[in-house]
Amino acid sequence: MDPNDQKQMNRHLWWRVAYFLFAIHLVALVMIFAMSHAPK
C-alpha cells in the first residue's frame, strides 16, 4: 500500500463524511421548516 493511494482513500472517506453530514442537516432543516409551517 503506497502512501499516495492511502491519501486518495482518506480524501474519499472525508468526502463521504461531508456528504453524510450535509444530508443530515438538509433533512433536519426540512423537518424544522415543515413543523414551523404546519397548520395548528
Side-chain angles (χ1 to χ4, degrees):
M1 195 92 163
D2 63 339
N4 199 26
D5 193 43
Q6 185 71 30
K7 199 179 214 177
Q8 193 76 21
M9 180 107 169
N10 205 18
R11 188 184 293 158
H12 181 72
L13 186 72
W14 277 116
W15 271 113
R16 286 183 59 179
V17 170
Y19 275 119
F20 181 66
L21 288 173
F22 177 71
I24 287 175
H25 283 89
L26 201 65
V27 169
L29 286 170
V30 169
M31 279 185 171
I32 290 165
F33 183 82
M35 274 192 245
S36 62
H37 288 77
K40 296 282 184 281

